[in-house]
Amino acid sequence: MPELPEVEVVRRGLDEHVRGRTVARAEVLSPRAARRYVPGPAGLVAAVTGAHVTAVSRRGKYLWLQFGDGSGTDALVVHLGMSGQMLVRTPGGERHRHLRALLDLGESEVHFVDQRTFGWWLPSQLIEVDGTFVPEAVAHIARDPLDARFDPDRVVARMYGRPSEIKRLLLDQTVIAGVGNIYADEALWRVGVHGARPAAQLSRPKLRALIEAATAVMGEALAQGGTSFDALYVDVDGDPGYFSRALAVYGREDEPCPRCGAPIRREGFMNRSSYSCPRCQSRPRSAGPLPRRGR
DNA sequence: CCCCTCTCCTGATCGC
DNA sequence: TGCGATCAGGAGAGGG
């Protein structure tokens, strides 16, 4: 699933290929890809056609093509959801079965392929938030650990004393951006904290260590090209990342904990799976085991 | 504001 | 062979 490292890999690849190009033509093949844009698919096409790409930027899991003056809109925000891909293709090639939208840049095309359709494209205007210009659609998202102005103390302050389970806060993109289910589990394992533990039970230094662990694990994953479990996460050339082999707990039910050897457990949590070490990460007493929930 | 649950969607897989 | 259930989960709407 694309989390911060994976989205950053895509951003880098896109930036290299599309910076300086002009959108000659756009197509929205699946109206759902434009569902967040009130003017709809035709409006989206109109907004980006003729736009000149000056850069590809990112905050957390949101990335955007930034457009220069004279373009119909400031930016095209892209969220990959669970399975979105931004593929750089040569014009006239095959169209993937799950192709949802495309940008024709003349010498190349950008194909938005998304099997599970949780991803979206949204034209957006830039606004200034806390001294940085970001698209309106991203204004509510916190800075992520790769941001030069990321402030871990601020994140600690946002978490400290809260009654919410710590994993909820790690996944809250308005608290710290970029962390998804995989890296949340890995960061919690690194500091020996169970995700269901209320943040209020954690000291400031422990919260600080958790944020540093999340930063570290995402940095390591980025260096490996991100985490790919299947063909659903690939870079702009369609190639996978290699961090899945380095994961300590995520997706490793019943395998030995790399630290103590206890078999990794899987539990339902927030309508998804959480992986942890039963010995290194004791479950809080107050919150009992949550039943796995069906659809 | 804060906290939490539910819903959107497709396709692989599994049991019967 | 088919069919229904289950699972994967990011983000935002909405209820309390």
Side-chain angles (χ1 to χ4, degrees):
Chain A
M1 316 305 149
E3 302 182 29
L4 187 148
E6 294 76 31
V7 179
E8 173 60 14
V9 169
V10 171
R11 187 202 68 76
R12 290 178 182 181
L14 270 184
D15 192 72
E16 188 179 317
H17 285 92
V18 310
R19 183 190 283 256
R21 300 273 170 82
T22 297
V23 178
R25 190 178 58 85
E27 255 182 86
V28 175
L29 296 93
S30 169
R32 191 172 148 75
R35 67 189 178 283
R36 296 202 53 195
Y37 193 52
V38 175
L44 191 154
V45 167
V48 303
T49 300
H52 179 70
V53 183
T54 56
V56 182
S57 304
R58 182 191 56 75
R59 174 169 285 189
K61 304 171 199 173
Y62 296 71
L63 65 88
W64 61 92
L65 278 66
Q66 198 155 316
F67 299 139
D69 293 341
S71 300
T73 187
D74 285 350
L76 176 64
V77 181
V78 175
H79 198 293
L80 302 177
M82 288 181 65
S83 56
Q85 307 175 354
M86 292 286 276
L87 303 171
V88 175
R89 302 272 99 133
T90 52
E94 281 186 20
R95 293 194 165 192
H96 192 285
R97 177 183 180 192
H98 300 308
L99 178 66
R100 308 302 184 189
L102 70 82
L103 298 178
D104 175 357
L105 302 168
E107 308 162 42
S108 63
E109 292 180 351
V110 173
H111 286 202
F112 182 48
V113 171
D114 186 14
Q115 181 205 103
R116 296 181 191 164
T117 74
F118 278 15
W120 43 263
W121 280 11
L122 175 62
S124 196
Q125 297 303 113
L126 294 183
I127 60 169
E128 190 174 0
V129 179
D130 188 28
T132 304
F133 281 91
V134 295
E136 284 175 331
V138 183
H140 61 299
I141 301 301
R143 291 184 191 274
D144 65 63
L146 294 189
D147 188 320
R149 292 184 56 194
F150 176 71
D151 180 1
D153 291 330
R154 193 162 169 172
V155 180
V156 169
R158 285 286 308 274
M159 294 179 164
Y160 185 74
R162 299 261 297 261
S164 297
E165 296 158 319
I166 186 61
K167 187 171 174 181
R168 286 182 184 281
L169 296 179
L170 265 184
L171 295 174
D172 186 337
Q173 305 299 302
T174 69
V175 173
I176 175 172
V179 183
N181 204 35
I182 297 172
Y183 300 115
D185 278 1
E186 293 297 309
L188 287 162
W189 175 81
R190 288 188 179 201
V191 296
V193 171
H194 191 281
R197 190 165 290 282
Q201 290 180 14
L202 299 171
S203 67
R204 286 183 220 266
K206 197 69 175 177
L207 291 170
R208 174 79 186 216
L210 174 61
I211 292 154
E212 284 171 3
T215 301
V217 71
M218 291 196 292
E220 291 162 31
L222 175 57
Q224 296 292 311
T227 299
S228 300
F229 286 109
D230 46 35
L232 294 186
Y233 162 67
V234 293
D235 66 14
V236 297
D237 297 316
D239 297 322
Y242 296 96
F243 194 68
S244 61
R245 64 185 65 168
L247 296 173
V249 292
Y250 186 86
R252 298 197 181 282
E253 184 177 21
D254 296 334
E255 291 181 40
C257 167
R259 190 163 45 214
C260 78
I264 296 303
R265 70 182 158 203
R266 178 166 75 127
E267 299 168 286
F269 183 79
M270 289 175 70
N271 236 352
R272 62 208 57 194
S273 288
S274 284
Y275 298 88
S276 60
C277 170
R279 194 178 297 166
C280 302
Q281 299 166 268
S282 66
R283 194 156 36 205
R285 293 176 194 285
S286 50
L290 301 173
R292 290 187 59 92
R293 313 169 57 89
R295 273 289 76 77

